[in-house]
């Protein structure tokens, strides 16, 4: 079927531009429309720099053309962000960059027990396997687990002299540089600190450490939406956030709050997507069977409801727990379904980071320049 440009324009009049009262055509957001038979290319410019606004714009254009013009149209949407220079808000949270660190990814969850630290550890080692330079900050002050998961619980960071200043040298294993409050406390010692003291300890591990050159720094945040989260986002310019949840309704309710926290105007951290952990159970003796113990595709449906990317699902497998307990993340188990699941998740995270860095103004993000080992990412 041959499409008509006028029909496309008329359909786009049904979409309101994010942050504006006018429709796309009236506001001048539609810069160009090209029609080749049943193929349509739409060039759009919006002023809202958030990743969510760009995604929403793409989805709405696809939907309205399919519904009002031709349901089998092949549509390409090119969204450009032309954000006006904004005056700093009085309550806007800003962070200062760390020299040498290109992208900072916060891994969060609305509630505890959903496997956030396990996902973070396996994401870190998979990034390292792909050839990226990776650091991991265990920001869960009250329940640090990364020293155990990386088999370095007995290690102590050393001091190194960098340009006349004494800095902490992160512990390294499996190609990942690691710092945690667990390195500075006894195994049976509880960390009983108020918010300001915990924030000060975090700042020391962030800014008084010699992280060197990193493509990615992962932050394993504590559960919830509290003081530690705000302190981190005041200290650092977070590239994006990954929210981990199980499929069950109780976890999804809190994951929704976690996403909402990052999307607050005063925080405005792009949500790269949602991960569904413990998605299903497959017995070793019945590898083709899936049992949805905590519900089916709950996090996937949540990502659709909130219009944020779904990054992947991780099965409930006994060896993932065992690997974490012995200090060798399960993603290092080569030629297994677990390795494949974490590789797919990691590729999706990298893709979303690249996408986010392209869609936001350059001053807000530092671009990835090395794509070693990541076949899912296409270089243009």
């Amino acid at each position: 079927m041959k499409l008509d440009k006028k029909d496309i324009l008329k359909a786009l009049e049904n979409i309101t531009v994010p942050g504006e009262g006018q429709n796309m055509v009236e506001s001048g957001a539609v810069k160009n429309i090209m029609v080749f038979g049943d193929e349509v290319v739409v060039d759009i410019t919006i002023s809202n720099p958030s990743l969510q606004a760009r995604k929403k714009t793409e989805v709405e254009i696809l939907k309205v053309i399919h519904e009002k013009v031709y349901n089998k149209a092949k549509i390409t949407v090119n969204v450009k962000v032309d954000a006006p220079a904004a005056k700093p808000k009085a309550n806007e949270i800003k962070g200062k960059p760390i020299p040498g660190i290109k992208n900072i990814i916060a891994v969060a969850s609305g509630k505890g027990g959903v496997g956030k630290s396990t996902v973070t550890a396996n994401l870190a080692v998979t990034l390292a396997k792909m050839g990226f330079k990776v650091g991991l900050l265990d920001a869960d002050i009250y329940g640090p687990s990364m020293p155990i998961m990386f088999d370095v619980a007995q290690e102590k960071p050393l001091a190194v002299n960098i340009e006349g200043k004494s800095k902490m040298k992160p512990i390294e294993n499996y190609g990942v540089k690691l710092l945690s409050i667990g390195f500075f406390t006894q195994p049976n010692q509880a960390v009983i600190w108020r918010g300001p003291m915990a924030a000060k300890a975090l700042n020391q591990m962030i800014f008084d450490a010699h992280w060197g050159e990193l493509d990615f720094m992962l932050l394993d945040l504590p559960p919830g939406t509290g003081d530690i989260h705000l302190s981190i986002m005041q200290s650092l310019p977070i590239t994006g956030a990954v929210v981990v949840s199980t499929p069950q309704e109780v976890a999804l309710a809190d994951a929704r709050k976690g996403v909402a926290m990052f999307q607050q105007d005063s925080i405005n951290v792009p949500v790269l997507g949602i991960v569904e952990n413990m998605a299903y159970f497959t017995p070793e003796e019945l590898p083709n069977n899936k049992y949805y113990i905590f519900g089916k595709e709950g996090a996937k449906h949540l990502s659709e409801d909130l219009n944020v990317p779904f990054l992947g699902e991780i099965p409930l497998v006994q060896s993932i727990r065992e690997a974490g307990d012995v200090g060798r993340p399960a993603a290092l188990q080569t030629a297994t379904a677990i390795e494949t699941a974490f590789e797919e998740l990691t590729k999706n995270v990298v893709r979303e980071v690249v996408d986010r860095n392209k869609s936001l103004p350059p001053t807000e993000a530092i671009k990835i320049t090395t794509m070693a080992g990541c076949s899912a990412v296409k270089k243009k």
Side-chain angles (χ1 to χ4, degrees):
M1 176 178 175
K2 187 176 180 180
L3 302 179
D4 192 313
K5 185 176 176 179
K6 291 179 182 177
D7 295 334
I8 304 296
L9 273 170
K10 188 174 180 181
L12 295 179
E13 288 177 352
N14 293 279
I15 303 175
T16 302
V17 180
E20 299 181 20
Q22 299 174 304
N23 67 53
M24 284 188 166
V25 180
E26 289 176 341
S27 69
V30 180
K31 299 302 179 185
N32 190 32
I33 296 176
M34 293 179 285
V35 177
F36 311 95
D38 63 350
E39 295 184 25
V40 181
V41 179
V42 181
D43 294 334
I44 297 286
T45 299
I46 61 174
S47 59
N48 190 331
S50 72
L51 187 64
Q52 285 72 33
R54 194 181 71 77
K55 291 283 184 186
K56 184 182 178 188
T57 301
E58 287 184 31
V59 170
E60 288 185 341
I61 291 172
L62 294 173
K63 185 177 178 182
V64 78
I65 294 176
H66 282 146
E67 287 182 353
K68 297 187 177 296
V69 182
Y70 181 44
N71 63 352
K72 294 183 180 179
K74 299 170 186 174
I75 308 164
T76 301
V77 181
N78 299 317
V79 180
K80 181 182 177 184
V81 175
D82 185 15
K87 294 179 181 178
K89 300 175 186 176
N91 64 339
E92 190 169 14
I93 295 175
K94 290 290 183 183
K96 52 184 178 180
I98 304 175
I101 298 180
K102 297 177 181 177
N103 296 279
I104 301 174
I105 311 298
V107 184
S109 66
K111 67 189 275 73
V114 298
K116 167 185 52 60
S117 295
T118 298
V119 169
T120 307
N122 284 282
L123 179 59
V125 297
T126 306
L127 284 167
K129 280 166 58 181
M130 288 178 172
F132 293 109
K133 297 174 184 176
V134 185
L136 200 167
L137 175 64
D138 188 355
D140 194 346
I141 292 289
Y142 306 108
S145 53
M146 288 303 170
I148 293 174
M149 289 188 170
F150 278 81
D151 194 24
V152 289
Q154 305 305 316
E155 301 284 341
K156 299 293 179 187
L158 300 174
V160 290
N161 191 291
I162 305 295
E163 297 178 356
K165 294 181 180 179
S166 182
K167 297 270 189 179
M168 282 183 285
K169 183 181 180 182
I171 302 299
E172 188 167 349
N173 201 13
Y174 310 125
V176 177
K177 294 179 180 179
L178 174 67
L179 274 181
S180 168
I181 199 67
F183 292 135
F184 307 100
T185 59
Q186 297 301 317
N188 297 325
Q189 178 185 353
V191 178
I192 309 173
W193 291 347
R194 292 189 184 274
M197 194 170 179
K200 184 178 179 181
L202 277 174
N203 277 338
Q204 284 185 311
M205 288 193 291
I206 294 168
F207 296 106
D208 293 343
H210 179 54
W211 291 100
E213 297 287 330
L214 296 179
D215 294 308
F216 291 95
M217 173 185 273
L218 302 183
L219 306 178
D220 181 31
L221 296 178
T225 55
D227 195 37
I228 297 297
H229 303 76
L230 291 175
S231 297
I232 283 283
M233 286 178 283
Q234 284 175 322
S235 301
L236 293 169
I238 309 296
T239 306
V242 171
V243 177
V244 180
S245 179
T246 58
Q248 70 183 113
E249 193 58 43
V250 172
L252 295 172
D254 290 331
R256 186 183 293 271
K257 296 172 187 174
V259 171
M261 174 188 69
F262 290 112
Q263 293 178 339
Q264 294 246 351
D265 287 343
S266 59
I267 295 174
N268 197 26
V269 170
V271 178
L272 301 175
I274 296 175
V275 180
E276 184 168 271
N277 194 30
M278 308 183 208
Y280 55 85
F281 170 65
T282 297
E284 188 176 355
E285 63 275 14
L286 298 169
N288 295 321
N289 288 26
K290 292 183 179 180
Y291 299 95
Y292 297 92
I293 297 173
F294 296 111
K296 187 175 181 180
E297 297 183 343
K300 186 174 183 179
H301 295 320
L302 177 63
S303 71
E304 293 169 357
D305 291 344
L306 299 179
N307 199 27
V308 298
F310 182 66
L311 298 172
E313 57 183 22
I314 306 299
L316 177 61
V317 179
Q318 183 175 332
S319 63
I320 295 179
R321 190 272 304 165
E322 292 172 340
D325 286 349
V326 300
R328 184 175 170 81
L332 296 172
Q333 298 171 8
T334 56
T336 63
I338 299 170
E339 181 191 42
T340 301
F342 280 115
E343 282 183 349
E344 189 63 28
L345 163 65
T346 305
K347 288 174 182 178
N348 288 338
V349 169
V350 174
R351 187 190 64 240
E352 291 300 328
V353 170
V354 173
D355 201 18
R356 172 254 187 264
N357 287 349
K358 285 179 180 177
S359 66
L360 292 181
T363 54
E364 295 293 325
I366 301 170
K367 295 183 183 297
I368 300 173
T369 56
T370 56
M371 290 290 109
C374 195
S375 59
V377 181
K378 295 179 181 179
K379 289 189 282 186
K380 294 184 179 179

